[in-house]
Amino acid sequence: MSSKQAWGSRLGVILAVAGSAVGLGNFLRFPGNAAQNGGGAFMIPYFCALLLLGIPIGWAEWTMGRYGGRKGFHSAPAIMGVWGKGSIARYLGGIGILIPVAVYFWYVLVESWCLAYCWDYLVHGGIGLDPAQSIPEQVQTSSAHFLDFTGQASNGSNFAGGISESLVFWIVSTIANVWLIYRGLSRGIETFCKWAMPAMAVCGIVVLVRVLTLGTPDPAHPDQNVVAGLGYMWNPDFSALSNAETWLAAAGQIFFSLSVGFGVIINYSSYMKRKDDVVLSGLTASATNEFFEVALGGLITLTAAVAFMGIATTTANTGGTFSTGFNALPVVFAHMPAGRFFGGIWFFMLWLAAITSSLSMLQPAQAFLEEALGMAKNAATSVLVLVCLAGNVFVLWFSKGLVALDTLDFWVGTFMIFVMAGVQVICFAWVVGMERGMKEAHEGAQMRIPAFYRFIIKYVSPLYLLAVFGAFCWQKVPGYVTQILGDESAGIPPNHDVLMTWLVIFGLIAAIAVITALGVRRWRAQGLDVDGTRPPDDEVAPAKR
Amino acid sequence: MPLLALLTIALQDAPAPASTALRVDGWVFMILSVSFVTLLVGWCFYKVLTTPEQKS
């Protein structure tokens, strides 16, 4: 049973949660976002979102998870049922299982790309760029390599012509994930994160030192240098602050970067003991993520890109995770002295960032299968692995334009996170109430949550979330709906790959709902407090004695 | 077209700045931001590593 699992140490759970949060977005998405939205001025809305949205909702999620664990629950549906006091919150809590599983379907593939690029740099010296070509030509070559490697030309191309390189590295990454999950929470995830997180920091600092000492790599282009790169990233444009887009981008970056509402923190913290601190642990995990994002991601990526490619080419390839990471940066490493070594280190660091995140995506569903269906750990892991393999093959097959990946990322990995975080903060602040919630948060806490955060969590965070979600829907959702349904007047047909992906999403939702219903019967039969109507056993036991 | 979409297009179409040497205000934002996250993570880990865990 999952209830036998526990964290080995406080540092272990912090590094595991931080590992879950630190991912490709820290190094690739953040710098592009900042540069396009006011440079240094972007940090004002960014830190506002961190303090008003990311950290408080994170504290709520840590607290809810630990409290659920005290009642014998480790899965988001069960824990949300306790905090939401009933079925609606419980079934909405199923989103906390849907998100990590559906995101894992594609995330492990991106992870395998990082590993493949690392292999290419360390073994083959790179991805075959010709330094004699012009920079735009090299970016084109790099993009063509990426398109070919990921099979974006047509569906099924990853499976054409035998075992492709992308399949080999997908298998290797899958084996690594499955092996670590089989080892369990403490011996697998915790042990791995304990060395992977420091290793990631060391790799990041090595690359950072190299980038900051590049000077002016090409004397023929004196305007392309490190200081210009830092200027491109950090020079503030205060006019951007009057733009709603800037505030939306900053809140979105914080929100997705910290993984609040993802379903992982609530599961991880459920294995903590009653007196384990959640306030300092939650803050430390968030701070670790911010260090990787701002101090490493904010100084490395665009600085190197501008120093070697100039601002025009960098601007054209900035913003998207994939365009920055897999199209532009290989060109940088092709021109950097010892680029083979630093390219290998860089993609190894990205692989570490990705695997510490993908590992965390399997644990919530594994715990859910164990406690809802009464499965043994290995049996639950086996079922989950089969489902995830099927999901991976689906995304690998529907690779044309990465449409399946993009659909899962947008509707599950982005849209659903808003819903889940909203449900969490409402249950914490309004259903259970701030008094009870803060009292629970301060059990064993080694620092107090400042008193003004009562007001922030109750009013500011939900409204901030609602505003960001509303703006997000207004801006992004219509385009994605058109992608699904098509638009006859504009001559856009429905996209069948997207429809197939939605079938997969609906299948997952139905399965989670059925398993939750079975779980409720089981939990009631066991006498567990499914609807959160009584205090935890460890609270009432001493009074009885 | 939604206002935000128009703003997005305007942002994307904006020409890259002619001069990007790191200005004084750029230095200030960079140093403050990097220092803030570095000090925060340093303080947090100091507290975590030096405060004994409570027993349940």
mmCIF file of all heavy atoms in Angstrom, chain A residues 190-214:
data_model
loop_
_atom_site.group_PDB
_atom_site.id
_atom_site.type_symbol
_atom_site.label_atom_id
_atom_site.label_comp_id
_atom_site.label_asym_id
_atom_site.label_seq_id
_atom_site.Cartn_x
_atom_site.Cartn_y
_atom_site.Cartn_z
ATOM 1 N N GLU A 190 13.512 10.193 -4.427
ATOM 2 C CA GLU A 190 14.264 11.041 -3.487
ATOM 3 C C GLU A 190 15.773 10.910 -3.688
ATOM 4 O O GLU A 190 16.490 11.907 -3.767
ATOM 5 C CB GLU A 190 13.874 10.673 -2.048
ATOM 6 C CG GLU A 190 14.555 11.547 -1.019
ATOM 7 C CD GLU A 190 14.067 11.260 0.404
ATOM 8 O OE1 GLU A 190 13.075 10.537 0.572
ATOM 9 O OE2 GLU A 190 14.691 11.775 1.345
ATOM 10 N N THR A 191 16.223 9.673 -3.779
ATOM 11 C CA THR A 191 17.673 9.453 -3.949
ATOM 12 C C THR A 191 18.164 10.077 -5.248
ATOM 13 O O THR A 191 19.213 10.736 -5.291
ATOM 14 C CB THR A 191 17.973 7.934 -3.946
ATOM 15 O OG1 THR A 191 17.430 7.384 -2.747
ATOM 16 C CG2 THR A 191 19.456 7.653 -4.002
ATOM 17 N N PHE A 192 17.393 9.892 -6.320
ATOM 18 C CA PHE A 192 17.802 10.433 -7.622
ATOM 19 C C PHE A 192 17.856 11.965 -7.581
ATOM 20 O O PHE A 192 18.828 12.570 -8.034
ATOM 21 C CB PHE A 192 16.839 9.961 -8.712
ATOM 22 C CG PHE A 192 17.225 10.437 -10.084
ATOM 23 C CD1 PHE A 192 18.311 9.886 -10.741
ATOM 24 C CD2 PHE A 192 16.517 11.451 -10.707
ATOM 25 C CE1 PHE A 192 18.676 10.333 -12.004
ATOM 26 C CE2 PHE A 192 16.873 11.901 -11.963
ATOM 27 C CZ PHE A 192 17.958 11.338 -12.615
ATOM 28 N N CYS A 193 16.790 12.579 -6.996
ATOM 29 C CA CYS A 193 16.747 14.045 -6.971
ATOM 30 C C CYS A 193 17.850 14.617 -6.091
ATOM 31 O O CYS A 193 18.327 15.718 -6.331
ATOM 32 C CB CYS A 193 15.381 14.530 -6.487
ATOM 33 S SG CYS A 193 14.092 14.295 -7.727
ATOM 34 N N LYS A 194 18.262 13.856 -5.084
ATOM 35 C CA LYS A 194 19.296 14.349 -4.174
ATOM 36 C C LYS A 194 20.640 14.532 -4.876
ATOM 37 O O LYS A 194 21.437 15.378 -4.466
ATOM 38 C CB LYS A 194 19.462 13.391 -2.988
ATOM 39 C CG LYS A 194 18.603 13.775 -1.788
ATOM 40 C CD LYS A 194 18.912 12.855 -0.632
ATOM 41 C CE LYS A 194 18.323 13.352 0.650
ATOM 42 N NZ LYS A 194 18.505 12.385 1.743
ATOM 43 N N TRP A 195 20.907 13.740 -5.899
ATOM 44 C CA TRP A 195 22.148 13.996 -6.636
ATOM 45 C C TRP A 195 21.883 14.733 -7.947
ATOM 46 O O TRP A 195 22.719 15.490 -8.428
ATOM 47 C CB TRP A 195 22.959 12.715 -6.866
ATOM 48 C CG TRP A 195 22.486 11.825 -7.964
ATOM 49 C CD1 TRP A 195 21.727 10.710 -7.827
ATOM 50 C CD2 TRP A 195 22.748 11.958 -9.372
ATOM 51 N NE1 TRP A 195 21.479 10.159 -9.049
ATOM 52 C CE2 TRP A 195 22.107 10.906 -10.028
ATOM 53 C CE3 TRP A 195 23.455 12.880 -10.145
ATOM 54 C CZ2 TRP A 195 22.134 10.743 -11.407
ATOM 55 C CZ3 TRP A 195 23.481 12.709 -11.520
ATOM 56 C CH2 TRP A 195 22.843 11.653 -12.130
ATOM 57 N N ALA A 196 20.673 14.555 -8.506
ATOM 58 C CA ALA A 196 20.404 15.200 -9.797
ATOM 59 C C ALA A 196 20.285 16.716 -9.660
ATOM 60 O O ALA A 196 20.765 17.457 -10.523
ATOM 61 C CB ALA A 196 19.114 14.632 -10.405
ATOM 62 N N MET A 197 19.668 17.199 -8.575
ATOM 63 C CA MET A 197 19.494 18.644 -8.441
ATOM 64 C C MET A 197 20.840 19.364 -8.267
ATOM 65 O O MET A 197 21.100 20.356 -8.955
ATOM 66 C CB MET A 197 18.543 18.963 -7.283
ATOM 67 C CG MET A 197 17.103 18.548 -7.534
ATOM 68 S SD MET A 197 16.385 19.330 -8.981
ATOM 69 C CE MET A 197 16.209 21.007 -8.404
ATOM 70 N N PRO A 198 21.711 18.888 -7.342
ATOM 71 C CA PRO A 198 23.035 19.536 -7.280
ATOM 72 C C PRO A 198 23.812 19.392 -8.590
ATOM 73 O O PRO A 198 24.487 20.335 -9.020
ATOM 74 C CB PRO A 198 23.737 18.777 -6.142
ATOM 75 C CG PRO A 198 22.642 18.225 -5.303
ATOM 76 C CD PRO A 198 21.531 17.903 -6.254
ATOM 77 N N ALA A 199 23.685 18.215 -9.239
ATOM 78 C CA ALA A 199 24.395 18.029 -10.511
ATOM 79 C C ALA A 199 23.895 19.033 -11.552
ATOM 80 O O ALA A 199 24.685 19.603 -12.324
ATOM 81 C CB ALA A 199 24.195 16.594 -11.017
ATOM 82 N N MET A 200 22.589 19.271 -11.547
ATOM 83 C CA MET A 200 22.012 20.232 -12.485
ATOM 84 C C MET A 200 22.559 21.639 -12.208
ATOM 85 O O MET A 200 22.898 22.384 -13.129
ATOM 86 C CB MET A 200 20.491 20.223 -12.319
ATOM 87 C CG MET A 200 19.724 20.620 -13.569
ATOM 88 S SD MET A 200 17.983 20.930 -13.238
ATOM 89 C CE MET A 200 17.470 19.554 -12.300
ATOM 90 N N ALA A 201 22.658 21.972 -10.909
ATOM 91 C CA ALA A 201 23.178 23.292 -10.547
ATOM 92 C C ALA A 201 24.634 23.427 -10.988
ATOM 93 O O ALA A 201 25.029 24.466 -11.534
ATOM 94 C CB ALA A 201 23.051 23.497 -9.038
ATOM 95 N N VAL A 202 25.430 22.370 -10.781
ATOM 96 C CA VAL A 202 26.846 22.422 -11.175
ATOM 97 C C VAL A 202 26.957 22.599 -12.692
ATOM 98 O O VAL A 202 27.711 23.451 -13.182
ATOM 99 C CB VAL A 202 27.582 21.145 -10.702
ATOM 100 C CG1 VAL A 202 28.965 21.061 -11.332
ATOM 101 C CG2 VAL A 202 27.687 21.131 -9.183
ATOM 102 N N CYS A 203 26.206 21.792 -13.444
ATOM 103 C CA CYS A 203 26.223 21.915 -14.918
ATOM 104 C C CYS A 203 25.834 23.334 -15.324
ATOM 105 O O CYS A 203 26.465 23.950 -16.201
ATOM 106 C CB CYS A 203 25.240 20.936 -15.557
ATOM 107 S SG CYS A 203 25.708 19.224 -15.436
ATOM 108 N N GLY A 204 24.796 23.867 -14.691
ATOM 109 C CA GLY A 204 24.315 25.210 -15.028
ATOM 110 C C GLY A 204 25.369 26.260 -14.741
ATOM 111 O O GLY A 204 25.605 27.158 -15.561
ATOM 112 N N ILE A 205 26.044 26.126 -13.611
ATOM 113 C CA ILE A 205 27.061 27.123 -13.247
ATOM 114 C C ILE A 205 28.272 27.023 -14.176
ATOM 115 O O ILE A 205 28.843 28.033 -14.593
ATOM 116 C CB ILE A 205 27.450 26.966 -11.757
ATOM 117 C CG1 ILE A 205 26.263 27.418 -10.889
ATOM 118 C CG2 ILE A 205 28.688 27.778 -11.415
ATOM 119 C CD1 ILE A 205 26.364 27.044 -9.430
ATOM 120 N N VAL A 206 28.639 25.787 -14.553
ATOM 121 C CA VAL A 206 29.756 25.605 -15.503
ATOM 122 C C VAL A 206 29.430 26.310 -16.823
ATOM 123 O O VAL A 206 30.242 27.085 -17.368
ATOM 124 C CB VAL A 206 30.020 24.096 -15.750
ATOM 125 C CG1 VAL A 206 30.930 23.887 -16.953
ATOM 126 C CG2 VAL A 206 30.633 23.454 -14.508
ATOM 127 N N VAL A 207 28.230 26.081 -17.337
ATOM 128 C CA VAL A 207 27.840 26.709 -18.614
ATOM 129 C C VAL A 207 27.738 28.229 -18.430
ATOM 130 O O VAL A 207 28.154 28.998 -19.304
ATOM 131 C CB VAL A 207 26.502 26.124 -19.127
ATOM 132 C CG1 VAL A 207 26.055 26.832 -20.397
ATOM 133 C CG2 VAL A 207 26.645 24.627 -19.397
ATOM 134 N N LEU A 208 27.218 28.657 -17.281
ATOM 135 C CA LEU A 208 27.078 30.100 -17.030
ATOM 136 C C LEU A 208 28.435 30.794 -17.051
ATOM 137 O O LEU A 208 28.596 31.838 -17.699
ATOM 138 C CB LEU A 208 26.396 30.320 -15.669
ATOM 139 C CG LEU A 208 26.299 31.764 -15.198
ATOM 140 C CD1 LEU A 208 25.398 32.584 -16.117
ATOM 141 C CD2 LEU A 208 25.758 31.832 -13.767
ATOM 142 N N VAL A 209 29.415 30.194 -16.352
ATOM 143 C CA VAL A 209 30.757 30.797 -16.322
ATOM 144 C C VAL A 209 31.316 30.886 -17.735
ATOM 145 O O VAL A 209 31.889 31.905 -18.146
ATOM 146 C CB VAL A 209 31.691 29.966 -15.398
ATOM 147 C CG1 VAL A 209 33.134 30.415 -15.553
ATOM 148 C CG2 VAL A 209 31.242 30.089 -13.946
ATOM 149 N N ARG A 210 31.102 29.818 -18.504
ATOM 150 C CA ARG A 210 31.609 29.824 -19.887
ATOM 151 C C ARG A 210 30.945 30.936 -20.709
ATOM 152 O O ARG A 210 31.606 31.662 -21.444
ATOM 153 C CB ARG A 210 31.326 28.457 -20.548
ATOM 154 C CG ARG A 210 31.866 28.356 -21.964
ATOM 155 C CD ARG A 210 33.393 28.365 -21.928
ATOM 156 N NE ARG A 210 34.022 28.616 -23.220
ATOM 157 C CZ ARG A 210 34.505 29.799 -23.591
ATOM 158 N NH1 ARG A 210 34.402 30.846 -22.798
ATOM 159 N NH2 ARG A 210 35.106 29.940 -24.756
ATOM 160 N N VAL A 211 29.654 31.070 -20.553
ATOM 161 C CA VAL A 211 28.912 32.065 -21.340
ATOM 162 C C VAL A 211 29.335 33.479 -20.949
ATOM 163 O O VAL A 211 29.562 34.328 -21.815
ATOM 164 C CB VAL A 211 27.388 31.867 -21.152
ATOM 165 C CG1 VAL A 211 26.608 33.067 -21.684
ATOM 166 C CG2 VAL A 211 26.928 30.603 -21.861
ATOM 167 N N LEU A 212 29.467 33.724 -19.644
ATOM 168 C CA LEU A 212 29.793 35.079 -19.206
ATOM 169 C C LEU A 212 31.232 35.470 -19.529
ATOM 170 O O LEU A 212 31.592 36.640 -19.446
ATOM 171 C CB LEU A 212 29.536 35.225 -17.696
ATOM 172 C CG LEU A 212 28.066 35.132 -17.266
ATOM 173 C CD1 LEU A 212 27.917 35.344 -15.773
ATOM 174 C CD2 LEU A 212 27.182 36.115 -18.025
ATOM 175 N N THR A 213 32.065 34.494 -19.885
ATOM 176 C CA THR A 213 33.454 34.816 -20.247
ATOM 177 C C THR A 213 33.682 34.739 -21.760
ATOM 178 O O THR A 213 34.826 34.673 -22.215
ATOM 179 C CB THR A 213 34.430 33.851 -19.533
ATOM 180 O OG1 THR A 213 34.019 32.498 -19.787
ATOM 181 C CG2 THR A 213 34.445 34.080 -18.037
ATOM 182 N N LEU A 214 32.594 34.752 -22.516
ATOM 183 C CA LEU A 214 32.738 34.651 -23.974
ATOM 184 C C LEU A 214 33.276 35.941 -24.593
ATOM 185 O O LEU A 214 33.901 35.913 -25.661
ATOM 186 C CB LEU A 214 31.379 34.321 -24.612
ATOM 187 C CG LEU A 214 30.916 32.870 -24.531
ATOM 188 C CD1 LEU A 214 29.476 32.745 -25.002
ATOM 189 C CD2 LEU A 214 31.817 31.971 -25.359
#
